[in-house]
Amino acid sequence: MIQARGLTKRYGEKTAVDHADFTVEPGHVTGFLGPNGAGKSTTMRMVLGLDRPSGGDVTVGGRHYRDLGAPLREVGALLDAKAVHPGRSAYNHLRCLAQSNAIPRRRVDEVIGLVGLESVASKPFRGFSLGMGQRLGIAAALLGDPAVLMFDEPVNGLDPEGILWIRNLMKDLAAEGRTVFVSSHLMSEMAVTADHLVVIGRGRILADTGMREFIDDNATSHVLVRSPEAARLRPLLAGRSWRVDVEDERTLQVHGATATEVGDVAADHGIRLHELCAVQPSLEEAFMQLTGDSVEYHAGALAGLPPGLSRAGGDGA
Ligand SMILES: Nc1ncnc2c1ncn2[C@@H]1O[C@H](COP(=O)(O)OP(=O)(O)OP(=O)(O)O)[C@@H](O)[C@H]1O
């Protein structure tokens, strides 16, 4: 278990992490989400004793990282997969780590096999692709067979097969009763990997909750309706005080109504429908909704939105 209480980190004027309280429980994959610069890496670094908190406290299994005798046996982490000496082989890198934590040599072979690096284990790190580097970082995290694992952007640069492998690995580790804490910007990936979420924005914890609850609390479902007569249907729906967003000239999103209600309005007016379905909100929508005000670095313009599609709510009353 990872427990943060009042955890704070200031860099001069900048408060990177601001009185963060959260608990990462064993047996779950807990996603750590937040916009760029929100404080995720700083928080993870404080868990690992790489940054000293300016205030508050964070413990792993009830103890501070600095008090762990053989840290790799208690907590394994992938923070920066590139932090390996370029001339060192994967095997030697892992062997050094194992030696300094009293981990038997056979475990090095085991983890190399586990991450699928057997064929390149004796090659120098400088020739490793991004994906191979990520796998080596994961091997290092698993080396001490720890009860707590932290991964900062583990699927960065991985191909689809690698992403699927990491997803299953994290779920398996959690199913074994381990604590798995993982940060990622890939919402679709998090949605199918994590079952609990800690969300941070501008250093503050915005949510510490189950995946389903998070989506239900922060986004609403809508009805998608496709019709060649969308222009005629639109004012009829908006007149019912439902919010209607225009996706394109044939497609409307109706908020606040059920698919049955929308279908009935269309039928009452003899309007042909080509599609009618209830759309469940995604993790991405819920995340954007919650963190919209916490985004520090915005793009200059919202390019590429279809004409008429408005997040603010189209024609609704
Ligand atoms: N060593 C440092 N000195 C000064 N400011 C720092 C330092 N490390 C981080 N920061 C600042 O603290 C804030 C949080 O950074 P952090 O890297 O923890 O965010 P993050 O959520 O991991 O971001 P990203 O998703 O972009 O990786 C940022 O504003 C960053 O510029």
Side-chain angles (χ1 to χ4, degrees), residues 94-253:
L94 294 171
R95 215 176 57 136
C96 290
L97 288 176
Q99 260 171 358
S100 57
N101 279 262
I103 295 165
R105 191 183 284 201
R106 64 177 155 70
R107 179 66 183 160
V108 172
D109 294 316
E110 255 171 47
V111 292
I112 285 176
L114 208 74
V115 302
L117 285 181
E118 298 98 326
S119 61
V120 292
S122 58
K123 302 254 165 60
F125 181 73
R126 70 166 67 85
F128 275 33
S129 69
L130 197 56
M132 286 154 72
Q134 292 290 94
R135 283 175 188 258
L136 179 57
I138 288 165
L142 296 174
L143 196 59
D145 199 15
V148 177
L149 286 140
M150 292 203 316
F151 302 105
D152 196 4
E153 297 280 349
V155 295
N156 236 357
L158 291 188
D159 57 23
E161 191 267 333
I163 291 177
L164 182 65
W165 173 72
I166 297 229
R167 184 194 307 161
N168 290 332
L169 175 73
M170 286 193 282
K171 287 181 168 186
D172 290 348
L173 292 166
E176 289 168 9
R178 298 177 210 257
T179 302
V180 182
F181 194 37
V182 51
S183 81
S184 179
H185 289 295
L186 294 180
M187 293 298 137
S188 54
E189 190 48 38
M190 275 289 104
V192 292
T193 308
D195 45 11
H196 195 92
L197 293 175
V198 173
V199 183
I200 189 167
R202 292 184 191 265
R204 298 192 172 201
I205 300 298
L206 303 176
D208 178 358
T209 184
M211 175 70 74
R212 193 67 262 161
E213 294 88 323
F214 178 77
I215 295 174
D216 289 347
D217 289 351
N218 293 288
T220 52
S221 58
H222 67 266
V223 174
L224 183 118
V225 57
R226 233 182 276 281
S227 166
E229 299 171 85
R232 195 153 76 84
L233 180 59
R234 183 182 170 190
L236 297 170
L237 298 172
R240 301 277 181 126
S241 21
W242 297 325
R243 200 185 94 202
V244 184
D245 289 344
V246 179
E247 206 169 292
D248 60 42
E249 60 186 13
R250 289 169 170 251
T251 314
L252 306 174
Q253 291 179 7

Side-chain angles (χ1 to χ4, degrees), residues 257-315:
T258 64
T260 309
E261 289 169 327
V262 173
D264 284 349
V265 170
D268 289 348
H269 294 83
I271 293 176
R272 273 183 303 152
L273 298 187
H274 288 173
E275 192 177 344
L276 178 67
C277 62
V279 179
Q280 294 308 313
S282 66
L283 172 61
E284 182 170 346
E285 286 168 283
F287 176 79
M288 300 296 274
Q289 186 65 38
L290 182 69
T291 62
D293 294 339
S294 313
V295 174
E296 233 168 322
Y297 309 106
H298 286 278
L302 284 174
L305 276 182
L309 179 61
S310 140
R311 274 212 301 153
D315 288 348

Side-chain angles (χ1 to χ4, degrees), residues 8-92:
T8 301
K9 180 68 188 178
R10 291 185 205 92
Y11 295 107
E13 295 285 284
K14 174 85 195 174
T15 303
V17 179
D18 195 358
H19 295 90
D21 291 317
F22 63 88
T23 305
V24 187
E25 303 271 1
H28 299 277
V29 177
T30 299
F32 193 23
L33 309 183
N36 285 132
K40 301 179 296 296
S41 300
T42 305
T43 300
M44 287 182 154
R45 289 173 58 80
M46 286 193 283
V47 176
L48 295 173
L50 296 169
D51 262 339
R52 185 192 287 264
S54 315
D57 204 39
V58 62
T59 55
V60 179
R63 288 186 295 159
H64 294 112
Y65 189 88
R66 63 175 178 270
D67 297 331
L68 304 176
L72 284 191
R73 289 166 168 271
E74 316 260 352
V75 50
L78 169 72
L79 287 200
D80 178 6
K82 294 186 287 301
V84 178
H85 188 285
R88 193 169 276 174
S89 70
Y91 182 82
N92 280 338

